Amino acid sequence: MTAPRWIIHLPTTLTSQDVATDLAAALRDSLGHVTALDFGETTLSEEDAQHLRHRVWCDTRLDGGLRCRLRDGHSGSCGTAGES
């Protein structure tokens, strides 16, 4: 049996989903080396509607074990470069 994974809910004072997404991207860029963090599964929610979560990244698996780093709902092909 696999041990359960734990989720860290990190409230912010941000009032815009776009700005919260930018913060998530900055955290991924600065903490991406921490193997205990799975930024591909990052979601955002409003403080009073935490049951309504919005995916930040596409996270589709690519060749070579990498994941798509583009924003969820992006147009075109998946990739690891470009808009984070």
Side-chain angles (χ1 to χ4, degrees):
M1 185 164 141
T2 305
R5 296 185 343 164
W6 288 88
I7 307 298
I8 298 171
H9 301 277
L10 181 64
T12 70
T13 59
L14 304 173
T15 58
S16 161
Q17 183 176 348
D18 289 336
V19 176
T21 299
D22 290 344
L23 176 59
L27 290 171
R28 180 187 67 187
D29 292 346
S30 65
L31 297 173
H33 66 282
V34 180
T35 58
L37 299 174
D38 184 1
F39 285 99
E41 296 294 328
T42 302
T43 58
L44 301 173
S45 65
E46 291 183 26
E47 182 177 26
D48 293 331
Q50 293 183 33
H51 61 286
L52 297 174
R53 296 180 179 242
H54 305 274
R55 290 188 68 82
V56 176
W57 293 289
C58 171
D59 202 37
T60 298
R61 290 194 183 274
L62 305 172
D63 292 337
L66 299 175
R67 291 178 183 249
C68 179
R69 292 177 54 97
L70 302 177
R71 299 271 169 101
D72 189 46
H74 66 85
S75 61
S77 300
C78 289
T80 58
E83 182 183 39
S84 58

Coordinates of all heavy atoms in Angstrom, one line a residue:
M1 N 0.8 -1.2 0.0 CA 0.0 0.0 0.0 C 0.9 1.2 0.0 O 1.9 1.3 0.7 CB -0.9 0.0 1.2 CG -1.9 1.1 1.2 SD -3.2 0.7 2.5 CE -3.4 2.3 3.1
T2 N 0.5 2.2 -0.8 CA 1.3 3.4 -0.9 C 0.8 4.4 0.1 O -0.3 4.6 0.4 CB 1.1 4.1 -2.3 OG1 1.4 3.1 -3.3 CG2 1.9 5.3 -2.5
A3 N 1.8 5.1 0.7 CA 1.5 6.1 1.7 C 0.8 7.3 1.1 O 1.1 7.6 -0.1 CB 2.8 6.6 2.4
P4 N -0.2 7.9 1.8 CA -0.9 9.1 1.2 C 0.0 10.3 0.9 O 1.0 10.5 1.7 CB -2.0 9.4 2.2 CG -1.4 8.9 3.5 CD -0.6 7.7 3.1
R5 N -0.2 11.0 -0.1 CA 0.5 12.3 -0.3 C -0.2 13.4 0.4 O -1.4 13.4 0.6 CB 0.6 12.6 -1.8 CG 1.3 11.5 -2.6 CD 1.5 11.8 -4.1 NE 0.7 12.8 -4.7 CZ 0.9 13.4 -5.8 NH1 2.0 13.1 -6.5 NH2 0.1 14.3 -6.3
W6 N 0.5 14.4 0.8 CA -0.1 15.5 1.5 C -0.1 16.7 0.7 O 0.8 17.0 -0.1 CB 0.8 15.8 2.8 CG 0.5 14.7 3.8 CD1 1.2 13.5 3.9 CD2 -0.5 14.7 4.8 NE1 0.7 12.8 4.9 CE2 -0.4 13.4 5.5 CE3 -1.5 15.5 5.2 CZ2 -1.2 13.1 6.5 CZ3 -2.4 15.2 6.2 CH2 -2.2 14.0 6.9
I7 N -1.1 17.5 0.8 CA -1.3 18.8 0.0 C -1.1 20.0 1.0 O -1.6 20.0 2.1 CB -2.7 18.9 -0.6 CG1 -3.0 17.6 -1.4 CG2 -2.9 20.1 -1.4 CD1 -2.2 17.4 -2.6
I8 N -0.3 20.9 0.5 CA -0.1 22.2 1.3 C -1.0 23.2 0.7 O -0.8 23.6 -0.5 CB 1.4 22.6 1.3 CG1 2.3 21.6 1.9 CG2 1.5 24.0 1.9 CD1 3.7 21.8 1.7
H9 N -1.9 23.8 1.4 CA -2.8 24.9 1.0 C -2.1 26.1 1.5 O -2.0 26.3 2.7 CB -4.2 24.7 1.5 CG -4.8 23.4 1.1 ND1 -5.4 23.3 -0.1 CD2 -4.9 22.2 1.8 CE1 -5.9 22.0 -0.2 NE2 -5.6 21.4 0.9
L10 N -1.8 27.0 0.6 CA -1.0 28.2 0.9 C -1.8 29.5 0.5 O -1.8 29.9 -0.6 CB 0.3 28.2 0.1 CG 1.3 29.4 0.4 CD1 1.8 29.4 1.8 CD2 2.5 29.2 -0.6
P11 N -2.6 30.0 1.5 CA -3.4 31.2 1.2 C -2.5 32.4 0.9 O -1.4 32.5 1.4 CB -4.2 31.4 2.5 CG -4.2 30.1 3.2 CD -2.9 29.5 2.8
T12 N -3.1 33.3 0.0 CA -2.4 34.5 -0.3 C -3.3 35.7 -0.1 O -4.5 35.5 0.2 CB -2.0 34.5 -1.8 OG1 -3.1 34.7 -2.6 CG2 -1.2 33.3 -2.2
T13 N -2.8 36.9 -0.2 CA -3.6 38.1 -0.2 C -4.0 38.6 -1.6 O -4.5 39.6 -1.7 CB -2.9 39.2 0.6 OG1 -1.6 39.5 -0.1 CG2 -2.6 38.8 2.0
L14 N -3.6 37.8 -2.6 CA -3.9 38.2 -4.0 C -5.4 38.2 -4.3 O -6.1 37.3 -3.8 CB -3.1 37.3 -4.9 CG -1.6 37.2 -4.7 CD1 -1.0 36.1 -5.5 CD2 -1.0 38.6 -4.9
T15 N -5.8 39.1 -5.1 CA -7.2 39.2 -5.5 C -7.5 38.9 -7.0 O -8.6 39.2 -7.4 CB -7.8 40.6 -5.1 OG1 -7.0 41.6 -5.7 CG2 -7.7 40.8 -3.6
S16 N -6.5 38.5 -7.7 CA -6.7 38.2 -9.1 C -6.2 36.8 -9.5 O -5.1 36.4 -9.0 CB -5.9 39.3 -9.9 OG -5.7 38.8 -11.3
Q17 N -7.0 36.0 -10.2 CA -6.5 34.7 -10.6 C -5.2 34.8 -11.5 O -4.3 34.0 -11.4 CB -7.6 34.0 -11.4 CG -7.2 32.6 -11.8 CD -8.3 31.8 -12.4 OE1 -9.5 32.2 -12.4 NE2 -8.0 30.6 -13.0
D18 N -5.2 35.8 -12.4 CA -4.0 36.0 -13.2 C -2.7 36.2 -12.3 O -1.7 35.6 -12.6 CB -4.1 37.1 -14.2 CG -5.1 36.8 -15.3 OD1 -5.3 35.6 -15.6 OD2 -5.7 37.7 -15.9
V19 N -2.8 37.0 -11.3 CA -1.7 37.3 -10.5 C -1.3 36.1 -9.6 O -0.2 35.8 -9.4 CB -2.0 38.6 -9.6 CG1 -0.8 38.8 -8.6 CG2 -2.2 39.8 -10.5
A20 N -2.3 35.4 -9.2 CA -2.1 34.1 -8.4 C -1.4 33.1 -9.3 O -0.5 32.4 -8.9 CB -3.4 33.6 -7.9
T21 N -1.8 33.0 -10.6 CA -1.1 32.2 -11.5 C 0.3 32.6 -11.7 O 1.2 31.7 -11.8 CB -1.9 32.1 -12.9 OG1 -3.2 31.7 -12.7 CG2 -1.2 31.3 -13.9
D22 N 0.6 33.9 -11.8 CA 2.0 34.4 -12.0 C 2.8 34.0 -10.7 O 4.0 33.6 -10.9 CB 2.0 35.9 -12.2 CG 1.4 36.3 -13.5 OD1 1.3 35.5 -14.4 OD2 1.1 37.5 -13.7
L23 N 2.2 34.1 -9.6 CA 2.9 33.7 -8.3 C 3.2 32.2 -8.4 O 4.3 31.8 -8.0 CB 2.1 34.1 -7.1 CG 2.8 33.6 -5.8 CD1 4.1 34.2 -5.6 CD2 1.8 33.9 -4.6
A24 N 2.3 31.4 -8.8 CA 2.5 29.9 -8.9 C 3.7 29.6 -9.8 O 4.5 28.8 -9.6 CB 1.2 29.2 -9.3
A25 N 3.7 30.4 -10.9 CA 4.8 30.2 -11.9 C 6.1 30.6 -11.3 O 7.2 29.9 -11.5 CB 4.5 31.0 -13.2
A26 N 6.2 31.7 -10.6 CA 7.4 32.1 -9.9 C 7.9 31.1 -8.9 O 9.1 30.8 -8.7 CB 7.2 33.5 -9.3
L27 N 6.9 30.6 -8.1 CA 7.3 29.5 -7.1 C 7.8 28.3 -7.8 O 8.8 27.7 -7.4 CB 6.1 29.2 -6.3 CG 5.6 30.3 -5.3 CD1 4.3 29.9 -4.7 CD2 6.7 30.5 -4.2
R28 N 7.2 27.9 -8.9 CA 7.7 26.7 -9.7 C 9.1 27.0 -10.2 O 10.0 26.2 -10.1 CB 6.8 26.4 -10.8 CG 7.3 25.2 -11.6 CD 6.5 24.9 -12.9 NE 6.7 26.0 -13.8 CZ 6.0 26.2 -15.0 NH1 5.1 25.3 -15.3 NH2 6.3 27.2 -15.8
D29 N 9.3 28.2 -10.7 CA 10.6 28.5 -11.3 C 11.7 28.6 -10.2 O 12.9 28.2 -10.4 CB 10.6 29.9 -12.0 CG 9.8 29.8 -13.3 OD1 9.4 28.7 -13.7 OD2 9.4 30.9 -13.8
S30 N 11.4 29.1 -9.0 CA 12.4 29.2 -7.9 C 12.5 27.9 -7.1 O 13.6 27.7 -6.5 CB 12.1 30.4 -7.0 OG 10.9 30.2 -6.3
L31 N 11.5 27.1 -7.0 CA 11.5 25.9 -6.2 C 11.4 24.6 -7.0 O 11.3 23.5 -6.4 CB 10.4 25.9 -5.1 CG 10.5 27.1 -4.1 CD1 9.2 27.1 -3.3 CD2 11.7 27.0 -3.3
G32 N 11.6 24.7 -8.3 CA 11.5 23.5 -9.1 C 12.5 22.4 -8.8 O 12.2 21.3 -9.2
H33 N 13.6 22.8 -8.2 CA 14.6 21.8 -7.9 C 14.2 20.9 -6.6 O 14.9 19.9 -6.4 CB 15.9 22.5 -7.6 CG 15.9 23.4 -6.4 ND1 15.3 24.6 -6.4 CD2 16.3 23.2 -5.1 CE1 15.4 25.1 -5.2 NE2 16.0 24.3 -4.4
V34 N 13.2 21.3 -5.9 CA 12.7 20.6 -4.7 C 11.9 19.4 -5.2 O 10.7 19.6 -5.6 CB 12.0 21.5 -3.7 CG1 11.5 20.7 -2.5 CG2 12.8 22.7 -3.3
T35 N 12.4 18.2 -5.1 CA 11.7 17.0 -5.7 C 10.5 16.6 -5.0 O 9.7 15.9 -5.5 CB 12.7 15.8 -5.8 OG1 13.2 15.5 -4.4 CG2 13.9 16.1 -6.7
A36 N 10.3 17.1 -3.7 CA 9.1 16.8 -3.0 C 7.9 17.6 -3.4 O 6.8 17.2 -3.1 CB 9.3 17.0 -1.5
L37 N 8.1 18.6 -4.3 CA 7.0 19.4 -4.8 C 6.6 19.0 -6.2 O 7.4 18.8 -7.1 CB 7.4 20.9 -4.8 CG 7.8 21.5 -3.4 CD1 8.3 22.9 -3.6 CD2 6.6 21.4 -2.5
D38 N 5.3 18.8 -6.4 CA 4.8 18.5 -7.7 C 4.0 19.6 -8.3 O 2.8 19.7 -8.1 CB 3.8 17.2 -7.6 CG 3.3 16.7 -8.9 OD1 3.7 17.3 -10.0 OD2 2.6 15.7 -8.9
F39 N 4.7 20.5 -8.9 CA 4.1 21.7 -9.5 C 3.1 21.5 -10.6 O 2.2 22.3 -10.9 CB 5.1 22.8 -9.9 CG 5.8 23.4 -8.7 CD1 7.0 23.0 -8.2 CD2 5.1 24.5 -8.1 CE1 7.6 23.6 -7.1 CE2 5.7 25.1 -7.0 CZ 7.0 24.7 -6.5
G40 N 3.2 20.3 -11.3 CA 2.3 20.0 -12.4 C 0.9 19.9 -11.9 O 0.0 20.1 -12.7
E41 N 0.7 19.6 -10.7 CA -0.7 19.4 -10.1 C -1.2 20.7 -9.4 O -2.2 20.6 -8.8 CB -0.6 18.2 -9.1 CG -0.3 16.9 -9.7 CD -1.4 16.4 -10.7 OE1 -2.6 16.7 -10.5 OE2 -1.0 15.8 -11.7
T42 N -0.5 21.8 -9.6 CA -1.0 23.0 -9.0 C -2.4 23.5 -9.4 O -2.7 23.5 -10.6 CB 0.0 24.2 -9.3 OG1 1.3 23.8 -8.9 CG2 -0.3 25.5 -8.6
T43 N -3.2 23.8 -8.5 CA -4.5 24.4 -8.7 C -4.7 25.6 -7.9 O -4.0 25.9 -6.9 CB -5.6 23.4 -8.4 OG1 -5.5 23.0 -7.0 CG2 -5.6 22.1 -9.2
L44 N -5.6 26.5 -8.4 CA -6.0 27.7 -7.7 C -7.5 27.7 -7.3 O -8.2 27.1 -8.1 CB -5.7 28.9 -8.5 CG -4.3 29.1 -9.0 CD1 -4.3 30.3 -10.0 CD2 -3.4 29.4 -7.9
S45 N -7.8 28.3 -6.2 CA -9.2 28.4 -5.9 C -9.4 29.7 -5.1 O -8.5 30.3 -4.5 CB -9.7 27.3 -5.1 OG -9.1 27.2 -3.8
E46 N -10.7 30.3 -5.2 CA -11.0 31.4 -4.4 C -11.1 31.0 -3.0 O -11.5 29.8 -2.7 CB -12.3 32.0 -4.9 CG -12.2 32.7 -6.2 CD -13.5 33.4 -6.6 OE1 -14.3 33.8 -5.7 OE2 -13.8 33.5 -7.8
E47 N -10.8 31.9 -2.1 CA -10.8 31.6 -0.6 C -12.1 30.9 -0.1 O -12.1 30.0 0.6 CB -10.5 32.8 0.2 CG -10.4 32.6 1.7 CD -10.1 33.9 2.4 OE1 -10.3 35.0 1.9 OE2 -9.5 33.8 3.5
D48 N -13.2 31.5 -0.6 CA -14.5 31.0 -0.1 C -15.2 30.0 -1.1 O -16.3 29.6 -0.9 CB -15.5 32.2 0.1 CG -15.0 33.1 1.2 OD1 -14.4 32.6 2.2 OD2 -15.3 34.3 1.2
A49 N -14.4 29.5 -2.1 CA -14.9 28.5 -3.0 C -13.8 27.5 -3.3 O -13.4 27.3 -4.4 CB -15.4 29.2 -4.3
Q50 N -13.2 27.0 -2.2 CA -12.1 26.1 -2.4 C -12.4 24.8 -3.1 O -11.5 24.1 -3.6 CB -11.4 25.8 -1.1 CG -10.8 27.1 -0.5 CD -10.0 26.9 0.8 OE1 -9.5 25.8 1.0 NE2 -10.1 27.9 1.7
H51 N -13.7 24.5 -3.2 CA -14.1 23.3 -3.9 C -14.1 23.5 -5.4 O -14.2 22.5 -6.2 CB -15.5 22.8 -3.5 CG -16.5 23.9 -3.7 ND1 -16.6 25.1 -3.0 CD2 -17.5 24.0 -4.7 CE1 -17.6 25.8 -3.5 NE2 -18.2 25.1 -4.5
L52 N -14.0 24.7 -5.9 CA -13.9 25.0 -7.3 C -12.4 25.3 -7.6 O -12.0 26.5 -7.4 CB -14.7 26.2 -7.7 CG -16.2 26.0 -7.5 CD1 -17.0 27.3 -7.8 CD2 -16.8 24.9 -8.4
R53 N -11.7 24.3 -8.1 CA -10.3 24.5 -8.4 C -10.0 24.7 -9.9 O -10.6 24.1 -10.7 CB -9.5 23.3 -7.8 CG -9.6 23.2 -6.3 CD -8.9 22.1 -5.8 NE -9.0 22.1 -4.3 CZ -8.0 22.2 -3.5 NH1 -6.8 22.3 -3.9 NH2 -8.2 22.2 -2.2
H54 N -9.0 25.5 -10.1 CA -8.6 25.8 -11.5 C -7.1 25.3 -11.7 O -6.2 25.8 -11.0 CB -8.6 27.3 -11.8 CG -10.0 27.9 -11.5 ND1 -11.0 27.9 -12.4 CD2 -10.5 28.5 -10.4 CE1 -12.1 28.5 -11.9 NE2 -11.8 28.9 -10.6
R55 N -6.9 24.4 -12.7 CA -5.6 23.9 -13.0 C -4.8 25.1 -13.5 O -5.2 25.9 -14.3 CB -5.6 22.8 -14.0 CG -6.2 21.5 -13.6 CD -6.1 20.4 -14.6 NE -4.7 20.0 -14.8 CZ -4.1 19.2 -13.9 NH1 -4.7 18.6 -12.9 NH2 -2.8 18.9 -14.2
V56 N -3.5 25.1 -13.1 CA -2.6 26.2 -13.6 C -1.9 25.7 -14.9 O -1.8 26.5 -15.9 CB -1.5 26.5 -12.5 CG1 -0.5 27.6 -13.1 CG2 -2.3 27.1 -11.3
W57 N -1.4 24.5 -14.9 CA -0.6 24.0 -16.1 C -1.3 22.8 -16.7 O -2.0 22.1 -16.1 CB 0.8 23.7 -15.7 CG 1.6 24.9 -15.3 CD1 2.0 25.9 -16.1 CD2 1.9 25.3 -14.0 NE1 2.6 26.9 -15.4 CE2 2.6 26.5 -14.1 CE3 1.8 24.7 -12.7 CZ2 3.1 27.2 -13.0 CZ3 2.3 25.3 -11.6 CH2 2.9 26.6 -11.7
C58 N -1.0 22.7 -18.0 CA -1.5 21.5 -18.8 C -1.1 20.2 -18.2 O -1.9 19.3 -18.0 CB -1.0 21.7 -20.2 SG -1.4 20.3 -21.3
D59 N 0.2 20.0 -18.0 CA 0.8 18.9 -17.3 C 0.7 17.6 -18.1 O 0.9 16.5 -17.5 CB 0.2 18.7 -15.9 CG 1.1 17.9 -15.0 OD1 2.3 18.1 -15.1 OD2 0.5 17.1 -14.2
T60 N 0.4 17.6 -19.4 CA 0.4 16.4 -20.2 C 1.8 15.8 -20.2 O 2.7 16.5 -20.4 CB -0.1 16.8 -21.6 OG1 -1.4 17.3 -21.5 CG2 -0.1 15.6 -22.5
R61 N 1.8 14.5 -20.1 CA 3.1 13.8 -20.2 C 3.7 13.9 -21.6 O 3.0 13.6 -22.6 CB 3.0 12.4 -19.7 CG 2.7 12.3 -18.2 CD 3.0 10.9 -17.7 NE 2.7 10.8 -16.3 CZ 3.5 11.0 -15.3 NH1 4.7 11.4 -15.6 NH2 3.1 10.9 -14.1
L62 N 5.0 14.2 -21.7 CA 5.6 14.3 -23.0 C 6.7 13.2 -23.1 O 7.0 12.5 -22.1 CB 6.4 15.7 -23.1 CG 5.5 16.9 -22.9 CD1 6.4 18.2 -22.9 CD2 4.5 17.0 -24.0
D63 N 7.3 13.0 -24.3 CA 8.3 12.1 -24.4 C 9.5 12.4 -23.5 O 9.7 13.5 -23.2 CB 8.8 12.1 -25.9 CG 7.8 11.6 -26.9 OD1 6.9 10.8 -26.5 OD2 7.9 11.9 -28.1
G64 N 10.2 11.4 -23.0 CA 11.3 11.5 -22.2 C 10.9 11.8 -20.7 O 11.8 12.2 -19.9
G65 N 9.7 11.6 -20.3 CA 9.2 11.7 -19.0 C 9.0 13.1 -18.5 O 8.6 13.3 -17.3
L66 N 9.1 14.1 -19.4 CA 8.8 15.5 -19.0 C 7.3 15.7 -19.1 O 6.5 14.9 -19.6 CB 9.5 16.4 -20.0 CG 11.0 16.3 -20.0 CD1 11.6 17.2 -21.1 CD2 11.6 16.7 -18.7
R67 N 6.9 16.8 -18.6 CA 5.5 17.2 -18.6 C 5.4 18.6 -19.3 O 6.3 19.4 -19.2 CB 4.9 17.3 -17.2 CG 4.7 16.0 -16.6 CD 4.2 16.1 -15.2 NE 4.1 14.9 -14.5 CZ 3.0 14.3 -14.1 NH1 1.8 14.9 -14.5 NH2 3.0 13.2 -13.5
C68 N 4.2 18.9 -19.9 CA 4.0 20.2 -20.5 C 4.0 21.2 -19.5 O 3.3 21.1 -18.4 CB 2.6 20.1 -21.3 SG 2.2 21.7 -22.1
R69 N 4.7 22.3 -19.7 CA 4.9 23.4 -18.8 C 4.0 24.6 -19.2 O 4.1 25.7 -18.6 CB 6.3 23.8 -18.6 CG 7.2 22.8 -17.9 CD 8.6 23.2 -17.9 NE 8.9 24.5 -17.3 CZ 9.2 24.7 -16.0 NH1 9.4 23.7 -15.2 NH2 9.5 25.9 -15.6
L70 N 3.2 24.5 -20.2 CA 2.4 25.6 -20.7 C 1.1 25.7 -19.8 O 0.7 24.7 -19.1 CB 2.0 25.4 -22.1 CG 3.2 25.3 -23.1 CD1 2.7 25.0 -24.5 CD2 4.0 26.5 -23.0
R71 N 0.5 26.8 -19.9 CA -0.7 27.1 -19.1 C -1.9 26.1 -19.5 O -2.0 25.7 -20.7 CB -1.2 28.5 -19.2 CG -0.2 29.6 -18.8 CD -0.4 29.9 -17.3 NE 0.7 30.6 -16.8 CZ 0.7 31.9 -16.6 NH1 -0.4 32.6 -16.9 NH2 1.7 32.5 -16.0
D72 N -2.7 25.7 -18.6 CA -3.8 24.9 -18.9 C -4.7 25.6 -19.9 O -4.9 26.8 -19.9 CB -4.7 24.6 -17.6 CG -5.7 23.6 -17.8 OD1 -5.4 22.5 -18.4 OD2 -6.8 23.8 -17.3
G73 N -5.2 24.8 -20.9 CA -6.0 25.3 -21.9 C -5.3 26.0 -23.0 O -5.9 26.7 -23.9
H74 N -3.9 25.9 -23.1 CA -3.1 26.5 -24.1 C -3.5 26.1 -25.5 O -4.1 25.0 -25.7 CB -1.6 26.3 -23.9 CG -1.2 24.9 -24.1 ND1 -0.9 24.3 -25.3 CD2 -1.0 23.9 -23.2 CE1 -0.5 23.1 -25.1 NE2 -0.6 22.8 -23.8
S75 N -3.2 26.9 -26.5 CA -3.5 26.5 -27.9 C -2.2 25.9 -28.4 O -1.1 26.1 -27.9 CB -3.9 27.7 -28.7 OG -2.9 28.7 -28.7
G76 N -2.3 25.1 -29.5 CA -1.1 24.5 -30.1 C -0.6 23.3 -29.4 O -1.3 22.8 -28.5
S77 N 0.6 22.9 -29.8 CA 1.2 21.7 -29.2 C 1.7 21.9 -27.8 O 2.1 23.0 -27.5 CB 2.3 21.2 -30.1 OG 1.8 20.9 -31.4
C78 N 1.7 20.8 -27.1 CA 2.3 20.9 -25.7 C 3.8 21.1 -25.8 O 4.4 20.7 -26.8 CB 2.0 19.6 -24.9 SG 0.3 19.4 -24.5
G79 N 4.4 21.6 -24.8 CA 5.9 21.8 -24.8 C 6.4 22.1 -23.4 O 5.7 22.2 -22.5
T80 N 7.7 22.3 -23.3 CA 8.4 22.5 -22.1 C 8.9 24.0 -22.0 O 9.4 24.4 -21.0 CB 9.6 21.6 -21.8 OG1 10.5 21.7 -22.9 CG2 9.1 20.2 -21.7
A81 N 8.8 24.7 -23.1 CA 9.3 26.1 -23.1 C 8.1 27.0 -23.4 O 7.0 26.6 -23.5 CB 10.3 26.3 -24.2
G82 N 8.4 28.3 -23.4 CA 7.3 29.3 -23.7 C 6.7 29.8 -22.4 O 7.3 29.8 -21.4
E83 N 5.5 30.2 -22.5 CA 4.8 30.8 -21.4 C 4.7 29.8 -20.2 O 4.3 28.6 -20.4 CB 3.4 31.3 -21.7 CG 2.7 31.9 -20.6 CD 1.3 32.3 -20.9 OE1 0.6 31.6 -21.7 OE2 0.8 33.4 -20.5
S84 N 5.1 30.1 -19.1 CA 5.0 29.2 -17.9 C 3.7 29.5 -17.2 O 3.2 28.9 -16.4 CB 6.2 29.4 -17.0 OG 6.3 30.8 -16.5

